[in-house]
Amino acid sequence: MLDAKPVEVTLYRWAGAWGPFKVKIPCGECSLTADVIQDTLDTELGGILVKLELRDWLSEWWKPLVKGGWHAPIVMVEGRVISQGAALNRGVLTQAVIEAFAHKNAPTGNHLFGKGTCPHCARAKHYLDNANIEYNYHDVIKNPKDLYEMLARVKPIVGPKTPITVPQIWLDGRYVGGADELGKRVHQTVEPNTDRGRCSISPEKQS
């Protein structure tokens, strides 16, 4: 996380001045949106590196306008408008930030994305446990953050039209696939290597 690239979030609120015009009445929905953003960063997006900027719309109205933003409050993630003209839906912000973070930062370590009722997820856990491989388990049903990250990372690999199932597995930050693909690796003779979280069943590095 120390080397992670932050996601840029910008809120243009109904404030500022342009020539003789000056905003004197604060925007209630702008204040609500600012509060929603901050609380979402502290909760659902805790641990995700975000750079938040609050800007006065009237003083810089042309900047969001070229991106399609014309009605404050305007919320942008990495220069893309995700909400405008109303108080922000925190789920929309969570998904946009997670997707942007996944695109800017490659995964590291061992990860299994799954759900509690999935027998293939249980099988994948069994493979990893028997191989003495430490991994992070992400429940995509209970945690929207994990669902959005899984989709953002898998879709570019398998294609936008391919249905995404669970489990989805990464070893040493490299994509493996599902339980069957993992099984092909662990059914070989392997020696676990816990040095820095690496393992002997991880995909071969590309030269």
Side-chain angles (χ1 to χ4, degrees):
M1 187 64 71
L2 292 177
D3 297 326
K5 299 176 182 177
V7 175
E8 296 182 0
V9 176
T10 307
L11 168 60
Y12 284 91
R13 54 195 176 182
W14 180 243
W18 176 256
F21 303 103
K22 185 176 182 180
V23 175
K24 298 181 180 180
I25 302 175
C27 170
E29 293 198 51
C30 295
S31 297
L32 283 173
T33 295
D35 291 340
V36 168
I37 291 175
Q38 189 58 61
D39 191 68
T40 305
L41 296 182
D42 294 339
T43 53
E44 287 97 325
L45 294 172
I48 300 296
L49 192 59
V50 173
K51 179 183 177 183
L52 174 62
E53 281 192 299
L54 300 179
R55 315 291 293 185
D56 293 341
W57 176 82
L58 190 56
S59 300
E60 303 178 294
W61 57 268
W62 64 92
K63 292 182 179 179
L65 184 62
V66 297
K67 300 291 186 177
W70 55 274
H71 189 177
I74 301 167
V75 181
M76 304 176 70
V77 174
E78 291 292 312
R80 180 174 68 89
V81 175
I82 65 165
S83 175
Q84 64 175 316
L88 175 67
N89 180 321
R90 66 193 299 136
V92 171
L93 176 66
T94 299
Q95 182 174 6
V97 170
I98 290 295
E99 289 178 350
F101 186 84
H103 293 156
K104 296 183 72 172
N105 297 277
T108 59
N110 306 323
H111 300 270
L112 191 158
F113 292 81
K115 62 180 182 179
T117 58
C118 168
H120 301 295
C121 300
R123 178 160 57 95
K125 287 182 178 181
H126 181 71
Y127 291 156
L128 292 171
D129 291 339
N130 279 357
N132 195 29
I133 302 302
E134 294 185 0
Y135 61 95
N136 295 305
Y137 174 68
H138 308 270
D139 191 316
V140 300
I141 301 301
K142 295 182 178 180
N143 301 302
K145 176 180 176 182
D146 293 333
L147 174 62
Y148 297 143
E149 180 178 0
M150 179 187 73
L151 294 175
R153 294 200 184 282
V154 176
K155 283 289 187 181
I157 298 173
V158 303
K161 295 183 178 180
T162 301
I164 305 301
T165 58
V166 289
Q168 296 292 336
I169 302 160
W170 278 258
L171 295 176
D172 292 335
R174 302 181 71 85
Y175 182 64
V176 172
D180 290 342
E181 289 77 15
L182 177 64
K184 293 175 184 177
R185 298 182 184 280
V186 298
H187 286 154
Q188 303 171 17
T189 301
V190 297
E191 292 295 332
N193 177 1
T194 58
D195 181 37
R196 297 185 181 178
R198 294 182 56 78
C199 61
S200 58
I201 63 173
S202 62
E204 294 295 330
K205 300 292 186 183
Q206 299 293 327
S207 57

